[in-house]
Amino acid sequence: MSHDMMMAIAILLPVVAAILVYLIPDYRTRGGLVILTAVILILNSLAQLRQGPFNYTPAGTGWGEAIKWIDFLMLFFFIYAAVARRSLLILIFTLTQLFPLLYWEFVLRAHVEVEPAFMVDHLSIVMTLIISIIGSLICVFGVKYITDHEHHLNRQKSRQSTFHFWMIIFLGAMNGLVFANNLYWLYFFWEVTTLCSYMLIGHDLTKEALANATRAYWMNSIGGTTFVFAIIYLYANGGSEALSLQKLIAGGHSAEIILLPLALLCFTGFTKAAQMPFQSWLLGAMVAPTPVSALLHSSTMVKAGVYLVVRLAPAFSPSNLGQLGTLFGELVALCGSFTFLGASLLAISQTTGKRVLAYSTIANLGLIIACAGINTPLSIAAAILLIIFHAISKAMLFLSAGTIEHIIWSREIDDMEALAEKAPLTTLITGIGILSMFLPPFGMLLSKWMAIEAATSVSNAAMSNRFLAPFLIAMLVIIAGLFVVASAATVVFWSKWLGRLLEVVPRIERRYEKVSPGYFVPLWILLVGIFAFGLLISPVYHNFVQLAVNNASQGIANVSSQVLTDGGFVTIESVRSFPGAPYSAGIMPLGFYPVWILFVLLAMALAVPFFIVSVKQKELRPVYLCGENCGDVDTECYMTAAEQKTKMTIGGLYLQKLFGEAALNPTMNLIAISLLIIFIGIILGVTLR
Amino acid sequence: MSMDSQYSMTGQILNIILVVGALIVAPLLGGFLSGVDRVLTARFQGRKGPPVWQPFYDFLKLLGKERIATSKMQLIWMYAYLMLMVTSLLFLLLRQDMLLIVFILGFAGVCLALGGFSTKSPFSHFGANRELLQMLAYEPILLLLAIAMFVNNGTFMVWRIFEKDVPPLLISMWPIFIAFLIIITIKLRKSPFDFATSHHAHQELVKGLTTEYSGPFYALFQLAEWYELVLLLGIVTLFWAHPIWIGIVIALVVFLLEIVIDNISARMTVGWMLKLTWALGLFLCISNIAYLYFKRGVF
């Protein structure tokens, strides 16, 4: 396939397909078209994987102009939206983008010509695989879901076609975003994803949905604004050339020119990745139909935020900027790891399944950003592994949550009790999804293990500065501290939720639920994906991650360690030699993670007992209720002091006073805002010096 | 053991024999130690107490009891708990990655809690929730212990500690050692931290997350606890790895200290535990790690 073809399918095909889907009124034809688009996108992304990296600039000059005018059109649409919704915030943050852009366009008379316009490298290939495969699966899941959803809400007027339209456009915009080399084009795609999320979050048109869509828009527009400023700053100081991502990453610009725009772009990434204090837009996005949440959380939107930070990592590496780079990176890591902690603690207090998922996403994005900030090849590898594994597991969990919602028609965790009896298959999938988020041997934990090893094995010649070194060390230790507490909090909220699903009463008749293949097919594919990617870590690492790491960490010097994967073993080896130590060639393993052995152990610990242990009906007993059980059979019932038969209920532990939003949010947001101010402030100070 | 001999054939075989032997001996040692615990505790309380071998008699008696349960999943998680506890001891004996050992130990804790959740019993839910809060308290300290070992030794691999050129960890890591003492008390579910379940019945807790386990399944829990005891004392010995007998003496002293603490303190609240470990424990660990970084000078 030619390069033209591939790029057209990745970016333009979704647009065409979306328009067709919008126009087709028939449920079956529309569903078929969504599935067809999904298949083509998946095949195309695989073809891109086979093809490997290339640079690409579309022929003809019209593209740049078109992008410019569509961009202005979008901004004018938002001015209309601001008036229609009577939202001052939308207006403000649209104008903060519009005026600078108008100034840039018509006063500075910007003439942007960046060669190449698109770059396809290994990092963007990993991203497009995630977007095309996982995103498409979610769109397919959406076909059946949205029908049931409207049926349940008793909608008079169907808005299914609008829903599919924005879902599919989203995929195209994301593909454009990860391929763009021209920063202005990247900004354009960035804005399209913001528009899509605005439309999708507000899809149900309820008051709450519209309010949350508004918030999502204005928060993301703060990031859009800083993006515009970064572009104008780069253009004013370095000309059109400076807007090439490739050039930005390769270094060569002086620190004064790129430090500030880099900080602004990282900030933009933070807003889109819903880092604290911007977490509320992603939480609000939960009002949308579940496939939207799945899409926003796993393969699109928030992943664009972390993609940008990971992509920019080489630009602020110590080899590019020296000690300033270390400082920059650690500040980014501090912001990320703080969000990791804050979101993990807040997740403990959440009573709704989807909100737990949302906080967990925010936490993991924080971890990814922290890894990008630590900025060693090892930490970048951890970041990319996290992006991949998080996308798979989270997509599966959201789709499971959607399936559960359509079984019990509730999102509350407490309502999910005994789901293991009511819907064993869904529970099995959800359970594996939950376990895969935080326990060995699954990929997420492997990545977290790698992240912690990376965080502590920072190697830096730049540490020689006597003045700065104590601060850098202190920051590093604080980051490690934030990591470990957050990691422990993660264990608590996942276990609590899984425990609730498993809480069963003996002698309830078990029956296998009937779930439409429209739900189960994407779920089973993702389930296979979790195990396949977990087990085949070695080829996955070699074929995706290692190459992408090279892309995202080119020029990072002071390499202290490297990852070696061999079959089922992952070893982190020190590159430094240890004189006097009895190692062959002075090379010492820093860490060792035997993936396959751990999978075997998992099978022995859980799967084998699952099939071997059998409990006979006569061995089942009611639980201990101080001897006040109503009888031997109905164990949910007990006698109160007044000899009344009462149904037992067990509430969950949510620790609202300790970790509730009301208790933590003010402090957490204050610290997060201070961190951002410190970050931007220090960089501004250094630039103006 | 150096890298070369670890990968040689005879070294491997020797290792495997050693490890299999240790896995068989570990529960015997753990059971014996808990017998000692019972005798000493009885003496503290002015009783004569059971014979030292009582835990083994109890264990055999439990195995012979009738099988009853409240749900199937409950039993599966208990098997998993035992399996993972053994695994994490195995990884320690093989001198593997400390961070991974902590994660596997965490998985074991999760299995125990899930076992408690897997049945609709208020008491076992109570205990399971508290078990999770205990994990929230001790997991960070254990992870920081692994990180400190890394900063001190330059690797997460435990076998590095046993090399001649590494000075005993206790000298430079004594603050973390103190934090670890608190963690052991929590992990052994001894006073003042006997929240999730305990050896004595408590009024509001009954037997916490083990309330719904009985007979042979409760025996599994006992067995896992013995492994856990050996694992924790094994980590203590790492603080003085050569000559190893000093480490073992330290571990025994720590064990006696735990018994004393158990007997002289009352139960506290879960909130107090979190405050103690997060304030004091994290402070000790983080300042210790910062010190280790400075001592090393360059990264």
Side-chain angles (χ1 to χ4, degrees), chain A residues 589-590 592 610 614 621 636, chain B residues 67 69 72 96 120 155-156:
Chain A
L590 301 181
F592 183 63
F610 189 82
S614 72
R621 291 287 186 282
E636 275 188 294
Chain B
R67 279 166 48 110
K72 180 184 165 184
Q96 289 295 306
K120 193 168 178 181
T155 172
F156 280 99

Side-chain angles (χ1 to χ4, degrees), chain B residues 135-257:
Chain B
M135 292 189 70
L136 192 55
Y138 69 70
E139 188 87 351
I141 309 281
L142 286 179
L143 290 171
L144 286 174
L145 169 69
I147 289 174
M149 283 181 178
F150 171 83
V151 180
N152 197 58
N153 309 333
T155 172
F156 280 99
M157 305 303 286
V158 170
W159 52 257
R160 175 85 178 109
I161 298 170
F162 289 89
E163 277 169 5
K164 292 276 181 303
D165 60 320
V166 177
L169 298 184
L170 191 60
I171 295 170
S172 52
M173 282 168 54
W174 58 266
I176 289 190
F177 184 75
I178 296 172
F180 188 61
L181 289 184
I182 306 175
I183 300 316
I184 296 182
T185 323
I186 298 175
K187 278 243 68 157
L188 296 181
R189 303 180 188 83
K190 287 190 171 297
S191 278
F193 305 111
D194 45 348
F195 307 126
T197 177
S198 85
H199 295 279
H200 332 284
H202 289 297
Q203 204 165 25
E204 94 293 1
L205 189 63
V206 187
K207 280 285 273 178
L209 92 174
T210 52
T211 305
E212 301 302 335
Y213 288 103
S214 62
F217 307 115
Y218 188 66
L220 288 181
F221 175 69
Q222 291 287 330
L223 193 60
E225 276 206 317
W226 295 343
Y227 273 109
E228 186 176 33
L229 179 60
V230 174
L231 173 71
L232 291 171
L233 295 181
I235 295 177
V236 173
T237 57
L238 294 183
F239 279 89
W240 206 294
H242 44 84
I244 189 78
W245 64 266
I246 298 186
I248 293 171
V249 169
I250 295 176
L252 290 177
V253 171
V254 166
F255 180 65
L256 293 177
L257 189 67

